[in-house]
Amino acid sequence: MELAHPQSAAPQPTPGEPASLLKRLGWFDWLYAAVLALGAAYALQRFGAFMDVYEKAILVCSVPTFVWMGWAWKPFRALLLGAFALSLFSIWLYRGELARADQAFLLKYLISSQSAILWMCALYFAATATYWVGLLSRSAFALSTGTGLTWSATLMGLVGLLTRWYESYLIGPDVGHIPVSNLYEVFVLFSLITALLYLHYERRYATRQMGAFVLLVISAAIGFLLWYTFEREAHQIQPLVPALQSWWMKIHVPANFVGYGAFALAAMVAFAYLLAARGILASRLPSLEVLDDVMYKSIAVGFAFFTVATILGALWAGPRACAARCWPGGRWSACWSPPSPSWA
Amino acid sequence: MKSAGLRFVELLSSMRFAISLLTLVSIASVVGTVLKQNEPFANYLNQFGPFWFRVFELAGLYSVYNAPWFIAIMAFLVLSTSVCIWRNAPGMLRQMSTFRENMRESSMRAMPHHAAFASALPAADALARAEGYLRSQGYVFRRAPEGALLAAKAGSANRIGYLLTHTAIVAICVGGLLDSNVPMQLKLAFGDKKPVDGGVLLSEVPATARLDADNLSFRGNTLIPEGSSSSVTVLSMGEGILVQELPFTLSLKKFHIEHYSTGQPKLFASDVIVTDRDTGKSFESRIEVNKPLIHRGIAVYQASFDDGGTRVKLSGHHLLAPQAKALAYESRIGEASELKYDGQTYRLELSTFRPINVENLSAVEGAGQGAAGKEDKDARGLFGRIRSQMGSGSEGVTKRELRNVGPSYTYKLRDAAGQAREYHNYQMPVLLEGRFVLLSGMRETPAEPFRYMRLPLDEKLELDEFLRLRAGLLDAGRRAEIARRFAKTAASNDAVSQTMRERLAESAERTLETFALRGYQAVAEFLERAVPEGEREAAAEIYLRVLQGAAWEAWQAMRAKDGLPALESSPERSRFVQDGLNAVSDSFFYGVPVYLKLDTFEEVKASVFQMTRSPGRNIVYLGCALLILGVFSMLYIRERRAWLLAGDGEAVFAMQCNRKTLDFEREFERHRDSLARLLGSG
Ligand code: HEM
């Protein structure tokens, strides 16, 4: 049937309807995109000889991914640029010598990988406490301080991982690898991803009260991380065994941990939901609809990423595949338990 | 009344049935994770005892994913899902394509998301405007044949998500079943092939256990020593094996293994030559972990490595027969030979050889030192501890001293009764607590850890002086003379009476004699018998001192016998005598008291390849792609429907969504407001 097109109904953005993403970009968005693109181009030109075609593809694809993330979620731009700047500063301070970690003051106490990660731990703990104070005392100031602390912790964690990546190459060019290869590293990654997902929802739903709950699970991860560092000394950078020397790891592991982060977030929001549904803290928490919506969204994210990650893992393993790798007791866990030769 | 057949089909395709199956699958996966799969049966027998071993074996728990019940569940899952798709797909596709343009006003007004607003336009114009707006919002629409109703929808692909994910489950399961050993089991059940016992030589495998090269799907392992080749792969079927012919011959030129300085493996790679059996053409290739070779539909993976029959020369030192000469043996890893000792014949089975062993020596280096380090660490307080962890991630607070301690080898000595003891020796001297020793471990069952004996080395890093000391200690014929010499040097002062000296000699002789029975243990037992409890500690001290002094004399006596000068005593040499006494005492508990020293070796490595032909693979890949598409469209595409009924001066707008999220609320409000403005403004 014929459809008429009256002039007045021509598609034009009506108030209340968001304009398309591209039209809303400002100069900082373009600067951000340019920095990422130039950075990747420099890395390709300078280190391309050491990468295989898949690694180059991952690097190239990561540029539009991060550009899109930053454009869609503005605070992410500052975080990423800040983390890159601090990590480059840290690399500059190293001047190619690992021993400088104990000599340069800023490295020793702030931005060498272990120091930055310890700062991350402290800041996440502080953020948890602040969110709770804010929640219980209905203090908007405390809550926004919590947000600030969470952002800073995330920044320090990111700097820690990026610097750790560089340090691994200082130990030996053959030892160097992306820091997602053992339990210690992925726990840092887990904390960062959970925090980022939370910060995203916090802004999107304009409510900070869920932070008290989400930061609890991050604190639990941090507790484990500290125990693992101080009691087990598991933070030492280990070289990659042959099974892990593959570009698959760069996508398989982060994808898994986006999944874990999203599920952990959903679980904590669900906990808040159950409390609120029984009237506990109900007046202090966002409405049940909001909690439900956040839960639904983050489970969706988790489900999607887990599907992709598991499939990637299975393809990677090829015919060696067998089920249930994701449990700590599974066969793959062999790759992240610290080596323990023993005779005496 | 429904027919039984229909009810069966309904049950089969019901959600309840599928979920029950999935629950069973997940239980099986838990078992498969908790219980190590496909180990040798002996390990399970050890772990569970005869009764439960049998129960678990019958339940197929040692190879869950190949157990008939598991395969049956998978088959039912495929069937159930397929029936489900077949029954629901047509309806879903129909629903997807309808616009539901027969909606009535009363139904619209009954929907939770509806609104009525004033319209200043004639119905036709109102609908046209609304169409333009909805199009810009990504909706497709259709007008009702009569009346002024517009029905629109967006996100219909959501329903395709259900179809895609369900098809994916079928595809993945079918592909998986094709590549599992089900086809092989069927072939065995209905064909004339039969597995043979795992112990046979490859050349003796009968034709009934050999599969043609055109077999569709298989997964086997092949061990090839350097310099050898193979044109078959071995499929393990429970306790038996089948031999699968390959369309090519694989020869191993060299196996490479590299290590990081920490001892972790860095590279496993095999340089191979592939020769096609049909064309005779050959080419070279390199296979690494994560980089398989794919030839004629068969993927060859680097799975593991092993010893390929390293040649070794050994010398056997008899630890308890003082005068025995060392005997020379030659053998290969993986072979058995005879070893005669003390009138007995043992079977010597050389099992493993490892050229490189990186060990953390700081753990061994004096326990006292470690404890001091720990105290030190704690003493610095909380901030001290935190500070100590700041810096790079390159090393921890506890320093690890990793060192390559050289080759090690393992062998079993089996006596006439079939009893075996296992030995694990290091070839090179190891520096422990400042002294060089040879380490030799023994255990009686595989469940125990090795207990290591430390054989002290002399100043030339040889065993010679220790062997001399040992001979002197155990030689009954020289005991009296040694005791006399000891008494003479220990009581050289003239003031000491002759009787005193004689008594000292006597007790030295008795101590040596006791020690020669079973080392320190015999001495301790003797003390327990002969000395009242209160004085035992003091007496033990004296006896140890006597033993030490007598051992020194025994050593010197043996040197003199070999025409060597006597040694000046020094603290190092006293420690050497002490270590020697410890080693001799330990050697009474060494089982077969022969120390097999590795003199030279010529290493031959072997590479283990996994070879698979898996035609189901591409179906699985397809299934994975469908699964991802399906999951994303189910999660991220919302199916929304909207209706606009334009009436006289009033329009009714209603919306529905398969999932009522806040986003949908907001979308409804946005469309409602926009449409109210568009239609209200005339
Ligand atoms: C630091 C974290 C991880 C590392 C380094 C890692 C590494 C690997 C590696 C090397 C493989 C290939 C296995 C092989 O070669 O046989 C693999 C496969 C796999 N991984 Fe991960 N993985 C990690 C985390 C996870 C997590 C958290 C999950 C759970 C959801 C997971 C699920 C899988 C699955 C399902 C496979 C398929 C292969 C199989 O089933 O055997 N992985 N992973």
Side-chain angles (χ1 to χ4, degrees), chain B residues 52-158:
Chain B
W52 288 111
F53 166 76
R54 189 78 192 117
V55 173
F56 292 164
E57 189 195 353
L58 284 178
L61 299 193
Y62 307 137
S63 183
V64 172
Y65 307 115
N66 290 325
W69 58 269
F70 185 80
I71 308 268
I73 293 176
M74 294 308 270
F76 265 107
L77 200 61
V78 170
L79 195 63
S80 156
T81 319
S82 313
V83 174
C84 176
I85 298 174
W86 172 64
R87 292 188 66 210
N88 292 321
M92 279 200 169
L93 290 175
R94 217 173 315 115
Q95 283 217 344
M96 254 176 67
S97 57
T98 66
F99 282 83
R100 307 205 4 221
E101 63 268 37
N102 50 2
M103 185 60 67
R104 282 210 304 272
E105 184 175 352
S106 57
S107 319
M108 283 173 67
R109 286 186 188 271
M111 286 181 195
H113 293 91
H114 81 269
F117 37 77
S119 164
L121 299 169
D125 289 355
L127 291 189
R129 263 197 207 185
E131 278 171 0
Y133 172 75
L134 286 173
R135 181 183 298 115
S136 76
Q137 297 297 317
Y139 281 74
V140 291
F141 42 79
R142 182 177 289 170
R143 273 194 211 181
E146 63 240 36
L149 181 75
L150 183 70
K153 66 186 169 88
S156 296
N158 172 274

Side-chain angles (χ1 to χ4, degrees), chain B residues 458-459 465 468 552 555-557 559-560 564-570 573 576-577:
Chain B
D458 55 33
E459 286 146 33
E465 295 300 328
R468 267 195 195 103
W552 174 272
W555 181 19
Q556 301 315 320
R559 283 180 62 86
L564 295 168
L567 293 169
E568 293 279 317
S569 85
S570 71
R573 290 181 180 145
F576 178 79
V577 170

Side-chain angles (χ1 to χ4, degrees), chain A residues 3 5 8 16-17 109 112 114-115 167 174 233 235 237 240 243 245 293 296-297 315-316 319 324 343, chain B residues 33 129 131 135 137 260 266 290 301 359 385 387 389 391 393 397-398 426 621 659 661-663 670:
Chain A
L3 295 172
H5 285 272
S8 56
E17 175 197 349
Y109 292 102
S112 63
Q114 275 310 105
S115 311
E167 283 169 5
D174 59 346
E233 304 197 8
H235 60 279
I237 296 172
L240 288 183
Q245 292 165 5
D293 214 59
Y296 173 79
K297 283 225 168 64
L315 296 190
W316 180 9
W343 46 258
Chain B
T33 306
R129 263 197 207 185
E131 278 171 0
R135 181 183 298 115
Q137 297 297 317
Y260 295 104
K266 175 170 153 186
N290 286 327
Y301 292 84
E359 307 280 5
R385 282 194 74 182
R387 189 161 46 221
Q389 297 288 7
V397 176
T398 313
Y426 291 84
Y621 288 168
R659 197 168 290 121
T661 59
L662 288 183
D663 287 339
R670 198 154 44 98

Side-chain angles (χ1 to χ4, degrees), chain A residues 12 15 22 51 54 64-65 95 104 132 134 155-156 159 171 174 187-188 202 212 225 248 301 321 327 330:
Chain A
Q12 47 180 246
L22 276 180
M51 303 183 197
Y54 301 103
T65 310
R95 307 220 176 93
W132 275 100
L155 175 70
M156 287 316 278
V159 171
I171 292 176
D174 59 346
F187 257 75
V188 179
E202 181 183 276
L225 205 58
W248 281 102
V301 170
W327 298 101

Side-chain angles (χ1 to χ4, degrees), chain A residues 180-183 186 243-244 249 252-253 256-257 260 306 309-318 320-327 331-332 335-336, chain B residues 290:
Chain A
V180 293
S181 69
N182 62 31
L183 196 57
V186 297
L244 292 182
M249 190 174 76
H252 168 68
V253 179
N256 261 313
F257 279 84
Y260 275 136
F306 240 55
T310 304
I311 288 176
L312 287 176
L315 296 190
W316 180 9
R320 289 167 292 173
C322 82
R325 277 304 183 99
C326 7
W327 298 101
R331 221 164 20 105
W332 60 276
C335 71
W336 66 18
Chain B
N290 286 327

